[in-house]
Amino acid sequence: MSQAVRLSANVGMLFAEAPLLERFACVAEAGFELVESWWPFGIELGAFERAVRDAGLGLVLMNLYGGDMPAGDRGVAGDLERSGEFRAHVPLGLELAASLGCRTLHAMVGTERPGQDPDEQLRLGAENVRWAADLAAAQGATLVVEPLNRWDNGPTLLQRVDDALAFIDAVGRPNVRVQLDAYHVARTDGDAAAGARRVGARIGHVQVADH
């Protein structure tokens, strides 16, 4: 049975001319009912929750803590020195998501770090995402991981669709899926449609941007 496509606006990328907390009203004014967001780095979580509610929007996706994205961080779950930051923020993220009825959360694994073994980073990332997935399962939430192209994001640990599929196999939890961003897949794998077919039923969320 086919399902209707529900469209959401990503305030991490859209309406960037306004401060983050004002973007939710912009989303509603543009006619969207649903929204997704990066982790509100540097913003009080209660203020974030109020901004979503005041705009009358449904939050369908939120990034778990991934460091300072505007400064170049792309996750810390696989960082041998900083993964404790990820674990410290997961309960906060899950509580915020539950309060807003959000059941899909993006766990950013990170980038290759100088002096760290990428294989060890991936092992640690899988361990941390597995731990977070077990906590998320208790509130009926799904975690997604996303392959990110290296040209825009640096030496990410998950760059291709097959990297993400191998990673969720290593995590081994049914509530961990792939966030398929057509822009990144087109840049790295060359064919977003073929990438989507490879992921198949393990797609947890789709993002679309012009390539």
Side-chain angles (χ1 to χ4, degrees):
M1 180 182 296
S2 63
Q3 295 181 337
V5 173
R6 302 194 305 158
L7 298 178
S8 61
N10 189 325
V11 293
M13 302 291 291
L14 300 176
F15 306 102
E17 66 278 5
L20 176 62
L21 295 183
E22 296 178 16
R23 296 179 196 178
F24 297 102
C26 296
V27 168
E29 185 177 350
F32 289 91
E33 297 179 352
L34 304 175
V35 70
E36 55 191 80
S37 178
W38 294 351
W39 176 263
F41 188 86
I43 294 174
E44 196 267 321
L45 299 186
F48 178 90
E49 179 181 354
R50 288 191 296 274
V52 177
R53 291 190 186 280
D54 288 348
L57 297 169
L59 184 68
V60 294
L61 174 80
M62 185 183 76
N63 286 10
L64 290 171
Y65 177 87
D68 185 351
M69 287 189 64
D73 286 337
R74 292 296 182 267
V76 294
D79 190 318
L80 303 183
E81 297 176 353
R82 298 179 59 194
S83 67
E85 296 176 31
F86 174 78
R87 289 212 174 205
H89 284 84
V90 164
L92 300 175
L94 290 174
E95 181 179 0
L96 177 61
S99 71
L100 290 167
C102 177
R103 298 181 62 182
T104 305
L105 298 111
H106 177 197
M108 304 187 76
V109 183
T111 59
E112 295 181 11
R113 303 299 300 159
Q116 298 185 21
D117 181 347
D119 289 336
E120 184 65 13
Q121 286 190 261
L122 285 168
R123 185 204 62 76
L124 176 64
E127 178 182 313
N128 283 325
V129 171
R130 185 181 306 116
W131 168 81
D134 288 341
L135 294 180
Q139 62 190 57
T142 295
L143 300 188
V144 290
V145 297
E146 179 183 19
L148 297 169
N149 81 80
R150 61 184 175 85
W151 295 280
D152 296 328
N153 300 280
T156 51
L157 291 165
L158 306 180
Q159 295 189 14
R160 306 178 69 89
V161 164
D162 288 344
D163 295 337
L165 291 173
F167 183 83
I168 64 173
D169 285 343
V171 173
R173 292 295 186 269
N175 64 325
V176 179
R177 297 186 176 189
V178 174
Q179 178 170 299
L180 190 96
D181 187 319
Y183 170 81
H184 291 297
V185 177
R187 289 218 69 181
T188 302
D189 289 75
D191 187 336
R197 286 192 290 270
R198 287 209 305 283
V199 180
R202 292 196 281 182
I203 292 178
H205 188 78
V206 173
Q207 293 178 324
V208 178
D210 185 32
H211 175 244

